[in-house]
Structures are given as C-alpha cells and as structure tokens.
mmCIF file of all heavy atoms in Angstrom:
data_model
loop_
_atom_site.group_PDB
_atom_site.id
_atom_site.type_symbol
_atom_site.label_atom_id
_atom_site.label_comp_id
_atom_site.label_asym_id
_atom_site.label_seq_id
_atom_site.Cartn_x
_atom_site.Cartn_y
_atom_site.Cartn_z
ATOM 1 N N ARG E 1 -8.765 -43.695 -60.434
ATOM 2 C CA ARG E 1 -8.235 -43.890 -61.705
ATOM 3 C C ARG E 1 -6.721 -44.107 -61.779
ATOM 4 O O ARG E 1 -6.229 -44.682 -62.820
ATOM 5 C CB ARG E 1 -8.486 -42.608 -62.636
ATOM 6 C CG ARG E 1 -7.873 -41.299 -62.173
ATOM 7 C CD ARG E 1 -8.069 -40.290 -63.249
ATOM 8 N NE ARG E 1 -9.483 -39.750 -63.297
ATOM 9 C CZ ARG E 1 -10.298 -40.046 -64.279
ATOM 10 N NH1 ARG E 1 -9.682 -40.622 -65.395
ATOM 11 N NH2 ARG E 1 -11.491 -39.670 -64.417
ATOM 12 N N ASP E 2 -6.044 -43.801 -60.631
ATOM 13 C CA ASP E 2 -4.558 -44.060 -60.656
ATOM 14 C C ASP E 2 -4.102 -44.942 -59.552
ATOM 15 O O ASP E 2 -2.886 -45.133 -59.481
ATOM 16 C CB ASP E 2 -3.755 -42.754 -60.677
ATOM 17 C CG ASP E 2 -4.286 -41.877 -59.619
ATOM 18 O OD1 ASP E 2 -5.032 -42.258 -58.701
ATOM 19 O OD2 ASP E 2 -3.790 -40.671 -59.540
ATOM 20 N N GLU E 3 -5.008 -45.436 -58.729
ATOM 21 C CA GLU E 3 -4.651 -46.320 -57.600
ATOM 22 C C GLU E 3 -5.645 -47.339 -57.358
ATOM 23 O O GLU E 3 -6.780 -47.189 -57.386
ATOM 24 C CB GLU E 3 -4.462 -45.466 -56.331
ATOM 25 C CG GLU E 3 -3.338 -44.659 -56.139
ATOM 26 C CD GLU E 3 -3.221 -44.045 -54.798
ATOM 27 O OE1 GLU E 3 -3.969 -42.925 -54.576
ATOM 28 O OE2 GLU E 3 -2.661 -44.500 -53.914
ATOM 29 N N LEU E 4 -5.088 -48.603 -57.157
ATOM 30 C CA LEU E 4 -5.963 -49.706 -56.693
ATOM 31 C C LEU E 4 -5.272 -50.304 -55.463
ATOM 32 O O LEU E 4 -4.022 -50.473 -55.484
ATOM 33 C CB LEU E 4 -6.054 -50.849 -57.816
ATOM 34 C CG LEU E 4 -7.122 -50.656 -58.868
ATOM 35 C CD1 LEU E 4 -6.997 -51.750 -59.821
ATOM 36 C CD2 LEU E 4 -8.508 -50.636 -58.212
ATOM 37 N N VAL E 5 -5.960 -50.566 -54.352
ATOM 38 C CA VAL E 5 -5.483 -51.102 -53.229
ATOM 39 C C VAL E 5 -6.240 -52.383 -52.783
ATOM 40 O O VAL E 5 -7.484 -52.281 -52.729
ATOM 41 C CB VAL E 5 -5.405 -50.089 -52.044
ATOM 42 C CG1 VAL E 5 -4.897 -50.730 -50.714
ATOM 43 C CG2 VAL E 5 -4.688 -48.827 -52.375
ATOM 44 N N LEU E 6 -5.502 -53.475 -52.620
ATOM 45 C CA LEU E 6 -6.160 -54.748 -52.085
ATOM 46 C C LEU E 6 -5.454 -55.134 -50.725
ATOM 47 O O LEU E 6 -4.260 -54.959 -50.635
ATOM 48 C CB LEU E 6 -5.843 -55.825 -53.084
ATOM 49 C CG LEU E 6 -6.757 -55.848 -54.336
ATOM 50 C CD1 LEU E 6 -6.299 -57.095 -55.240
ATOM 51 C CD2 LEU E 6 -8.269 -56.134 -53.965
ATOM 52 N N TRP E 7 -6.243 -55.633 -49.883
ATOM 53 C CA TRP E 7 -5.875 -56.092 -48.590
ATOM 54 C C TRP E 7 -6.235 -57.547 -48.489
ATOM 55 O O TRP E 7 -7.313 -57.924 -48.779
ATOM 56 C CB TRP E 7 -6.516 -55.273 -47.479
ATOM 57 C CG TRP E 7 -6.028 -55.608 -46.018
ATOM 58 C CD1 TRP E 7 -5.111 -55.071 -45.326
ATOM 59 C CD2 TRP E 7 -6.685 -56.695 -45.320
ATOM 60 N NE1 TRP E 7 -5.051 -55.600 -44.053
ATOM 61 C CE2 TRP E 7 -6.036 -56.645 -43.924
ATOM 62 C CE3 TRP E 7 -7.751 -57.595 -45.340
ATOM 63 C CZ2 TRP E 7 -6.377 -57.513 -42.942
ATOM 64 C CZ3 TRP E 7 -8.113 -58.384 -44.435
ATOM 65 C CH2 TRP E 7 -7.360 -58.333 -43.154
ATOM 66 N N LEU E 8 -5.207 -58.439 -48.052
ATOM 67 C CA LEU E 8 -5.476 -59.823 -47.790
ATOM 68 C C LEU E 8 -4.562 -60.305 -46.688
ATOM 69 O O LEU E 8 -3.428 -59.787 -46.623
ATOM 70 C CB LEU E 8 -5.510 -60.602 -48.990
ATOM 71 C CG LEU E 8 -4.208 -60.767 -49.791
ATOM 72 C CD1 LEU E 8 -4.236 -62.024 -50.613
ATOM 73 C CD2 LEU E 8 -3.909 -59.640 -50.662
ATOM 74 N N VAL E 9 -4.918 -61.535 -46.171
ATOM 75 C CA VAL E 9 -4.018 -62.184 -45.177
ATOM 76 C C VAL E 9 -3.890 -63.576 -45.573
ATOM 77 O O VAL E 9 -4.865 -64.188 -45.888
ATOM 78 C CB VAL E 9 -4.619 -62.004 -43.701
ATOM 79 C CG1 VAL E 9 -3.796 -62.740 -42.758
ATOM 80 C CG2 VAL E 9 -4.945 -60.657 -43.415
ATOM 81 N N THR E 10 -2.633 -64.074 -45.569
ATOM 82 C CA THR E 10 -2.362 -65.499 -45.970
ATOM 83 C C THR E 10 -1.457 -66.076 -44.937
ATOM 84 O O THR E 10 -0.917 -65.371 -44.118
ATOM 85 C CB THR E 10 -1.649 -65.498 -47.365
ATOM 86 O OG1 THR E 10 -0.491 -64.538 -47.319
ATOM 87 C CG2 THR E 10 -2.485 -64.996 -48.587
ATOM 88 N N SER E 11 -1.422 -67.379 -44.981
ATOM 89 C CA SER E 11 -0.587 -68.191 -44.096
ATOM 90 C C SER E 11 0.898 -68.244 -44.467
ATOM 91 O O SER E 11 1.738 -68.676 -43.714
ATOM 92 C CB SER E 11 -1.137 -69.534 -43.735
ATOM 93 O OG SER E 11 -1.205 -70.233 -45.007
ATOM 94 N N GLU E 12 1.207 -67.875 -45.751
ATOM 95 C CA GLU E 12 2.537 -67.763 -46.249
ATOM 96 C C GLU E 12 2.712 -66.498 -46.939
ATOM 97 O O GLU E 12 1.756 -65.836 -47.431
ATOM 98 C CB GLU E 12 2.772 -69.011 -47.169
ATOM 99 C CG GLU E 12 2.578 -70.353 -46.595
ATOM 100 C CD GLU E 12 2.784 -71.437 -47.626
ATOM 101 O OE1 GLU E 12 3.567 -71.182 -48.673
ATOM 102 O OE2 GLU E 12 2.220 -72.531 -47.562
ATOM 103 N N LYS E 13 3.926 -66.136 -47.167
ATOM 104 C CA LYS E 13 4.230 -64.943 -48.079
ATOM 105 C C LYS E 13 3.791 -65.186 -49.472
ATOM 106 O O LYS E 13 4.145 -66.303 -49.940
ATOM 107 C CB LYS E 13 5.749 -64.683 -47.862
ATOM 108 C CG LYS E 13 6.089 -63.322 -48.575
ATOM 109 C CD LYS E 13 7.545 -62.984 -48.258
ATOM 110 C CE LYS E 13 7.836 -61.524 -48.872
ATOM 111 N NZ LYS E 13 9.308 -61.117 -48.567
ATOM 112 N N ILE E 14 3.264 -64.299 -50.126
ATOM 113 C CA ILE E 14 2.675 -64.446 -51.376
ATOM 114 C C ILE E 14 3.723 -64.325 -52.390
ATOM 115 O O ILE E 14 4.575 -63.343 -52.343
ATOM 116 C CB ILE E 14 1.547 -63.534 -51.599
ATOM 117 C CG1 ILE E 14 0.329 -63.688 -50.832
ATOM 118 C CG2 ILE E 14 1.045 -63.667 -53.213
ATOM 119 C CD1 ILE E 14 -0.765 -62.773 -51.158
ATOM 120 N N GLU E 15 3.745 -65.196 -53.358
ATOM 121 C CA GLU E 15 4.695 -65.144 -54.477
ATOM 122 C C GLU E 15 3.872 -65.236 -55.779
ATOM 123 O O GLU E 15 3.082 -66.148 -55.977
ATOM 124 C CB GLU E 15 5.782 -66.224 -54.511
ATOM 125 C CG GLU E 15 6.652 -66.151 -53.269
ATOM 126 C CD GLU E 15 7.583 -67.357 -53.278
ATOM 127 O OE1 GLU E 15 7.693 -68.174 -54.209
ATOM 128 O OE2 GLU E 15 8.343 -67.491 -52.281
ATOM 129 N N GLY E 16 3.811 -64.077 -56.536
ATOM 130 C CA GLY E 16 2.986 -64.212 -57.746
ATOM 131 C C GLY E 16 2.753 -62.755 -58.299
ATOM 132 O O GLY E 16 3.515 -61.872 -58.061
ATOM 133 N N PHE E 17 1.588 -62.559 -58.962
ATOM 134 C CA PHE E 17 1.397 -61.286 -59.486
ATOM 135 C C PHE E 17 -0.214 -60.990 -59.444
ATOM 136 O O PHE E 17 -0.939 -61.877 -59.260
ATOM 137 C CB PHE E 17 1.884 -61.241 -60.883
ATOM 138 C CG PHE E 17 1.323 -62.180 -61.850
ATOM 139 C CD1 PHE E 17 0.175 -61.996 -62.568
ATOM 140 C CD2 PHE E 17 1.979 -63.403 -62.069
ATOM 141 C CE1 PHE E 17 -0.392 -62.911 -63.427
ATOM 142 C CE2 PHE E 17 1.372 -64.443 -62.891
ATOM 143 C CZ PHE E 17 0.285 -64.126 -63.611
ATOM 144 N N PHE E 18 -0.439 -59.642 -59.616
ATOM 145 C CA PHE E 18 -1.838 -59.171 -59.713
ATOM 146 C C PHE E 18 -2.068 -58.766 -61.169
ATOM 147 O O PHE E 18 -1.205 -58.226 -61.815
ATOM 148 C CB PHE E 18 -1.937 -57.893 -58.788
ATOM 149 C CG PHE E 18 -3.170 -57.034 -59.089
ATOM 150 C CD1 PHE E 18 -4.390 -57.420 -58.459
ATOM 151 C CD2 PHE E 18 -3.144 -55.837 -59.818
ATOM 152 C CE1 PHE E 18 -5.580 -56.646 -58.695
ATOM 153 C CE2 PHE E 18 -4.266 -55.188 -60.019
ATOM 154 C CZ PHE E 18 -5.515 -55.557 -59.394
ATOM 155 N N GLU E 19 -3.261 -59.046 -61.612
ATOM 156 C CA GLU E 19 -3.609 -58.804 -63.004
ATOM 157 C C GLU E 19 -5.033 -58.157 -63.114
ATOM 158 O O GLU E 19 -5.967 -58.672 -62.341
ATOM 159 C CB GLU E 19 -3.618 -59.976 -63.923
ATOM 160 C CG GLU E 19 -3.860 -59.725 -65.282
ATOM 161 C CD GLU E 19 -3.572 -60.947 -66.208
ATOM 162 O OE1 GLU E 19 -2.383 -61.242 -66.633
ATOM 163 O OE2 GLU E 19 -4.553 -61.664 -66.543
ATOM 164 N N LEU E 20 -5.140 -57.084 -63.751
ATOM 165 C CA LEU E 20 -6.418 -56.416 -64.032
ATOM 166 C C LEU E 20 -6.603 -56.301 -65.515
ATOM 167 O O LEU E 20 -5.756 -56.000 -66.201
ATOM 168 C CB LEU E 20 -6.287 -54.962 -63.347
ATOM 169 C CG LEU E 20 -7.592 -54.067 -63.563
ATOM 170 C CD1 LEU E 20 -8.553 -54.568 -62.566
ATOM 171 C CD2 LEU E 20 -7.202 -52.625 -63.180
ATOM 172 N N SER E 21 -7.820 -56.579 -65.959
ATOM 173 C CA SER E 21 -8.114 -56.459 -67.402
ATOM 174 C C SER E 21 -9.414 -55.912 -67.582
ATOM 175 O O SER E 21 -10.260 -55.813 -66.724
ATOM 176 C CB SER E 21 -7.979 -57.967 -68.035
ATOM 177 O OG SER E 21 -8.876 -58.808 -67.377
ATOM 178 N N GLY E 22 -9.691 -55.444 -68.877
ATOM 179 C CA GLY E 22 -10.917 -54.936 -69.264
ATOM 180 C C GLY E 22 -11.466 -55.491 -70.491
ATOM 181 O O GLY E 22 -10.787 -56.211 -71.284
ATOM 182 N N ASN E 23 -12.630 -54.946 -70.952
ATOM 183 C CA ASN E 23 -13.309 -55.488 -72.115
ATOM 184 C C ASN E 23 -12.527 -54.977 -73.468
ATOM 185 O O ASN E 23 -12.712 -55.497 -74.550
ATOM 186 C CB ASN E 23 -14.781 -55.150 -72.191
ATOM 187 C CG ASN E 23 -15.494 -55.895 -71.213
ATOM 188 O OD1 ASN E 23 -15.159 -56.936 -70.879
ATOM 189 N ND2 ASN E 23 -16.527 -55.278 -70.572
ATOM 190 N N ASN E 24 -11.863 -53.888 -73.438
ATOM 191 C CA ASN E 24 -11.228 -53.260 -74.591
ATOM 192 C C ASN E 24 -9.766 -53.589 -74.691
ATOM 193 O O ASN E 24 -8.894 -52.891 -75.267
ATOM 194 C CB ASN E 24 -11.425 -51.771 -74.619
ATOM 195 C CG ASN E 24 -12.821 -51.334 -74.472
ATOM 196 O OD1 ASN E 24 -13.638 -51.967 -75.235
ATOM 197 N ND2 ASN E 24 -13.260 -50.283 -73.777
ATOM 198 N N GLY E 25 -9.407 -54.768 -74.268
ATOM 199 C CA GLY E 25 -7.950 -55.186 -74.314
ATOM 200 C C GLY E 25 -7.047 -54.736 -73.301
ATOM 201 O O GLY E 25 -5.797 -54.918 -73.427
ATOM 202 N N PHE E 26 -7.559 -53.965 -72.339
ATOM 203 C CA PHE E 26 -6.784 -53.421 -71.385
ATOM 204 C C PHE E 26 -6.180 -54.521 -70.488
ATOM 205 O O PHE E 26 -6.876 -55.402 -69.990
ATOM 206 C CB PHE E 26 -7.480 -52.318 -70.458
ATOM 207 C CG PHE E 26 -6.779 -51.903 -69.251
ATOM 208 C CD1 PHE E 26 -5.659 -50.928 -69.387
ATOM 209 C CD2 PHE E 26 -6.892 -52.577 -67.990
ATOM 210 C CE1 PHE E 26 -5.015 -50.511 -68.250
ATOM 211 C CE2 PHE E 26 -6.296 -52.067 -66.890
ATOM 212 C CZ PHE E 26 -5.293 -51.167 -67.029
ATOM 213 N N VAL E 27 -4.900 -54.532 -70.152
ATOM 214 C CA VAL E 27 -4.300 -55.429 -69.226
ATOM 215 C C VAL E 27 -3.171 -54.794 -68.496
ATOM 216 O O VAL E 27 -2.315 -54.067 -68.913
ATOM 217 C CB VAL E 27 -3.635 -56.673 -70.020
ATOM 218 C CG1 VAL E 27 -2.994 -57.576 -68.959
ATOM 219 C CG2 VAL E 27 -4.689 -57.464 -70.793
ATOM 220 N N TYR E 28 -3.316 -54.873 -67.143
ATOM 221 C CA TYR E 28 -2.305 -54.423 -66.125
ATOM 222 C C TYR E 28 -1.887 -55.556 -65.381
ATOM 223 O O TYR E 28 -2.638 -56.338 -64.812
ATOM 224 C CB TYR E 28 -2.937 -53.286 -65.328
ATOM 225 C CG TYR E 28 -1.979 -52.822 -64.158
ATOM 226 C CD1 TYR E 28 -1.189 -51.735 -64.330
ATOM 227 C CD2 TYR E 28 -2.046 -53.480 -62.942
ATOM 228 C CE1 TYR E 28 -0.400 -51.320 -63.265
ATOM 229 C CE2 TYR E 28 -1.257 -52.979 -61.868
ATOM 230 C CZ TYR E 28 -0.461 -51.994 -62.008
ATOM 231 O OH TYR E 28 0.363 -51.525 -61.016
ATOM 232 N N ARG E 29 -0.577 -55.538 -65.163
ATOM 233 C CA ARG E 29 0.119 -56.650 -64.312
ATOM 234 C C ARG E 29 1.150 -56.142 -63.447
ATOM 235 O O ARG E 29 1.883 -55.367 -63.929
ATOM 236 C CB ARG E 29 0.604 -57.806 -65.264
ATOM 237 C CG ARG E 29 1.209 -58.939 -64.467
ATOM 238 C CD ARG E 29 1.779 -60.051 -65.410
ATOM 239 N NE ARG E 29 0.673 -60.702 -66.059
ATOM 240 C CZ ARG E 29 0.906 -61.811 -66.794
ATOM 241 N NH1 ARG E 29 2.044 -62.338 -67.002
ATOM 242 N NH2 ARG E 29 -0.272 -62.462 -67.292
ATOM 243 N N ASP E 30 1.185 -56.534 -62.231
ATOM 244 C CA ASP E 30 2.316 -56.129 -61.248
ATOM 245 C C ASP E 30 2.738 -57.230 -60.330
ATOM 246 O O ASP E 30 1.799 -58.105 -60.049
ATOM 247 C CB ASP E 30 1.783 -54.890 -60.456
ATOM 248 C CG ASP E 30 2.889 -54.039 -59.877
ATOM 249 O OD1 ASP E 30 4.022 -54.494 -59.952
ATOM 250 O OD2 ASP E 30 2.534 -52.990 -59.385
#
C-alpha cells in the first residue's frame, strides 16, 4: 500500500516518468 518497486534493464539511461492510475480517478506520477 505504500511501496511499488519495478526492475528493468535498458540500453540507455531512462529519461521519463512512471505513472499509476485507477478507476476512481487516482493518478500517481514520479
């Protein structure tokens, strides 16, 4: 409920953002 962890490997350093959303209008962006 208070942590999300994602692991991935790319060929370049990532530039961008993570977004999580729900059916009740919830939106989280980092």
